[in-house]
Amino acid sequence: MYRQGDVLIVPVAEEAVPSHAADAPHEARDGRGRLVLALGEVTGHAHAVLGPGRLVREPGPFGPMLLHLPEGGRVVHEEHAAIPLPKGWYRVVRQREYLPGAVRIVAD
């Protein structure tokens, strides 16, 4: 497991990857060529992945994302140390916060 700020990245065994993930529409890269996992609402900084791969967003407002890195990659952020990731599939989950009567994604 890997954590960078409010983003949790969990390895997923190949056989546990949902069958739809390989052919599902994937997120576009940003203008800098990165796969953005979470964009800082306050600072504009981003938790992002560098390297070849795809990011598939699961349905729903709090749906996790599936990240496929066929050659590995690095998670970068302007305020955190880079994290190298080996090749494989990952589930990316944003930290959530409980408020009485609601749940929201943590903003950095």
Side-chain angles (χ1 to χ4, degrees):
M1 250 191 294
Y2 306 88
R3 180 182 267 320
Q4 189 183 68
D6 56 350
V7 175
L8 178 66
I9 303 165
V10 182
V12 176
E14 186 82 31
E15 58 273 6
V17 175
S19 59
H20 72 276
D23 299 320
H26 56 277
E27 296 290 306
R29 291 179 179 268
D30 72 356
R32 294 166 57 185
R34 308 173 302 171
L35 293 169
V36 176
L37 306 179
L39 185 61
E41 295 83 1
V42 176
T43 63
H45 296 161
H47 297 279
V49 174
L50 303 176
R54 295 173 13 125
L55 184 62
V56 177
R57 194 172 299 274
E58 293 286 288
F62 300 115
M65 295 174 281
L66 294 170
L67 174 65
H68 183 230
L69 299 174
E71 300 175 19
R74 283 186 321 133
V75 182
V76 296
H77 185 278
E78 292 82 352
E79 297 172 339
H80 299 281
I83 301 173
L85 296 176
K87 69 179 181 176
W89 282 91
Y90 298 88
R91 183 166 302 281
V92 180
V93 182
R94 294 283 309 272
Q95 182 175 341
R96 290 170 283 211
E97 178 176 62
Y98 172 77
L99 301 170
V103 174
R104 71 178 184 99
I105 291 178
V106 173
D108 76 11

